[in-house]
């Protein structure tokens, strides 16, 4: 961990700027914001029309003078000004006034593993623009491990898989630090896109952008497991005529279509295990893998990982908010480092 727990305990607010959702934890109040990372802007006046869930509902349904922006991509802030405006509106006037009363407001934020200096700087500038005097950055892998209750400070191996919307991050942790890790540019969005492309090419069907999780609609029931229904009805728009149409989709073909992004995720697990010291791999055989992140809820993904690795696979109790809850636990002082007493001479 690059930042000490003592420094984190001085922070007042923790922020997880994700590609799909933005979450804010305030010391003493808990999780106060959990909204989609979306903002709708009037391009004529520059004014902000909506943020969060309301802005997400506008996607694909706006006139030409309204632009729906996503200021965060792959866990990295790509539009600092828009991210600041979005955060201000998500926090609300009352909460912002409470935070401004802090004499030296400190903030903590999650950053993806191996984030480059420019990405880290963008996160820092976003929070500095909201009034933070100091910003501490914590690796998403460590924050997620703390949030789901893994004993990260102990000298035993724990493996975590953060399944996000844009990226998948996998790591083995021991003694509060990352032993080996990998970040793959494949996540829930890539899986959804594979389903969308399959339906377009095989059935000449365009899914509306607001179809809630097209993958879940297509895979219906038991998802990746072969015991699910053989056929699923999907509603969309015909490519040629533009008219609404319903087609019956073979779920086995859909499973085949999403095989490429899922294989990339499994390859990442294999790479981490190959780079891990043998003693820690022995620990993992007993403890297994903990899955966090919104994509971890994909039906059947845990069983697929279990079959590929032969290790136990667990899904966190609240996988989508583990990272910000982990930061919050550090802010509240609930995590204590392991004390190593020097040997007496």
């Amino acid at each position: 961990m690059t930042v000490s727990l003592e420094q984190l305990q001085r922070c007042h607010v923790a922020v997880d700027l994700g590609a799909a959702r933005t979450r804010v934890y305030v010391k003493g109040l808990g999780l106060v914001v959990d909204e989609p990372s979306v903002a709708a802007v009037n391009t004529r006046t520059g004014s902000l029309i909506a943020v969060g869930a309301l802005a997400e509902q506008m996607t694909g349904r706006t006139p030409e003078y309204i632009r729906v922006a996503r200021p965060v991509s792959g866990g990295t802030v790509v539009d600092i000004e828009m991210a600041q405006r979005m955060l201000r509106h998500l926090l609300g006037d009352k909460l912002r006034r409470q935070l401004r009363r802090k004499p030296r407001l400190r903030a903590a934020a999650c950053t993806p593993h191996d984030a480059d200096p420019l990405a880290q700087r963008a996160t820092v500038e976003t929070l500095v623009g909201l009034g933070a005097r100091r910003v501490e950055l914590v690796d998403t892998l460590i924050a997620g491990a703390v949030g789901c209750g893994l004993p990260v400070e102990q000298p035993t191996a724990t493996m975590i898989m953060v399944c996000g919307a844009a990226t998948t991050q996998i790591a083995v942790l021991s003694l509060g630090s990352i032993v080996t890790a990998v970040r793959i540019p494949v996540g829930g969005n890539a899986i959804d896109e594979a389903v969308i492309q399959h339906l377009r090419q095989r059935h000449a069907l365009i899914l509306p952008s607001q179809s809630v999780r097209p993958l879940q609609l297509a895979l219906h029931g038991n998802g990746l497991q072969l015991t699910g229904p053989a056929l699923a009805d999907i509603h969309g728009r015909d490519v040629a005529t533009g008219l609404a149409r319903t087609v019956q989709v073979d779920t086995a073909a859909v499973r085949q279509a999403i095989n490429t992004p899922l294989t990339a995720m499994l390859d990442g697990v294999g790479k981490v295990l190959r780079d891990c010291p043998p003693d820690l791999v022995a620990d993992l055989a007993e403890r297994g893998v903990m899955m966090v992140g919104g994509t971890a809820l994909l039906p059947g993904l845990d069983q697929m990982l279990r079959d590929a690795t032969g290790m136990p696979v667990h899904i966190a109790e609240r996988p989508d908010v583990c990272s910000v809850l982990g930061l919050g636990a550090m802010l509240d002082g609930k995590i204590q480092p392991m004390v190593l007493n020097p040997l007496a001479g």
Side-chain angles (χ1 to χ4, degrees):
M1 194 183 300
T2 54
V3 58
S4 70
L5 289 171
E6 185 181 352
Q7 289 172 312
L8 287 172
Q9 288 172 19
R10 296 175 187 159
C11 294
H12 307 96
V13 59
V15 180
D16 179 14
L17 285 166
R21 299 184 75 87
T22 293
R23 301 177 176 93
V24 180
Y25 183 102
V26 176
K27 200 171 187 176
L29 297 177
L31 189 63
V32 295
V33 173
D34 184 2
E35 292 278 344
S37 304
V38 189
V41 187
N42 187 324
T43 56
R44 294 174 181 171
T45 63
S47 60
L48 205 59
I49 297 173
V51 296
L54 181 57
E56 189 173 51
Q57 290 174 11
M58 295 181 180
T59 305
R61 295 191 171 100
T62 60
E64 61 180 12
Y65 66 89
I66 295 178
R67 179 174 66 94
V68 177
R70 294 182 177 271
V72 185
S73 175
T76 301
V77 178
V78 293
D79 187 337
I80 295 174
E81 182 187 358
M82 187 60 66
Q84 289 174 348
R85 295 175 70 184
M86 179 185 73
L87 272 173
R88 285 192 196 102
H89 282 78
L90 288 175
L91 286 171
D93 294 335
K94 182 179 178 182
L95 189 53
R96 287 208 331 270
R97 280 197 298 269
Q98 288 181 16
L99 293 175
R100 278 201 298 266
R101 292 194 192 107
K102 307 289 184 185
R104 288 186 60 82
L105 180 63
R106 287 173 174 243
C110 291
T111 55
H113 178 68
D114 275 350
D116 59 75
L118 285 177
Q120 294 180 359
R121 184 178 178 84
T123 302
V124 170
E125 287 188 10
T126 300
L127 298 182
V128 167
L130 292 175
R133 298 293 185 90
R134 185 182 174 94
V135 179
E136 309 289 357
L137 300 179
V138 179
D139 197 301
T140 302
L141 290 163
I142 293 179
V146 171
C148 62
L150 292 178
V152 292
E153 296 296 335
Q154 299 302 313
T156 54
T158 53
M159 189 171 186
I160 185 166
M161 184 173 181
V162 180
C163 308
T167 61
T168 299
Q169 303 172 65
I170 308 154
V172 174
L173 310 175
S174 181
L175 285 173
S177 298
I178 295 173
V179 178
T180 178
V182 67
R183 181 167 60 140
I184 307 162
V186 174
N189 292 345
I191 296 173
D192 287 351
E193 185 61 29
V195 174
I196 292 170
Q197 290 302 319
H198 168 77
L199 294 176
R200 186 185 183 101
Q201 294 167 9
R202 183 71 63 87
H203 300 280
L205 192 75
I206 300 175
L207 282 181
S209 59
Q210 282 301 298
S211 59
V212 182
R213 294 293 294 178
L215 176 65
Q216 292 180 3
L217 287 174
L219 291 185
H220 219 62
N222 291 329
L224 302 176
Q225 298 172 10
L226 299 176
T227 54
L231 298 173
D233 290 335
I234 302 295
H235 310 285
R237 192 182 75 185
D238 190 274
V239 171
T241 65
L243 300 176
R245 188 160 65 93
T246 301
V247 298
Q248 276 201 330
V249 177
D250 180 7
T251 54
V254 175
R255 278 193 291 270
Q256 186 65 32
I258 64 174
N259 191 56
T260 300
L262 290 176
T263 301
M265 295 166 70
L266 294 177
D267 288 346
V269 175
K271 184 180 185 306
V272 168
L273 289 174
R274 285 194 299 272
D275 294 342
C276 188
D279 289 345
L280 295 183
V281 174
D283 290 344
L284 295 176
E286 295 180 10
R287 293 179 173 273
V289 184
M290 179 66 77
M291 295 175 64
V292 303
T295 308
L297 296 172
L298 174 63
L301 180 58
D302 56 336
Q303 184 60 47
M304 186 176 182
L305 186 61
R306 202 173 287 122
D307 294 340
T309 62
M311 296 191 303
V313 178
H314 315 283
I315 300 176
E317 187 176 344
R318 298 178 65 188
D320 49 340
V321 293
C322 278
S323 294
V324 73
L325 292 182
L327 276 182
M330 296 181 203
L331 263 61
D332 292 336
K334 295 178 181 177
I335 307 300
Q336 297 298 325
M338 183 176 179
V339 178
L340 298 176
N341 294 320
L343 296 175

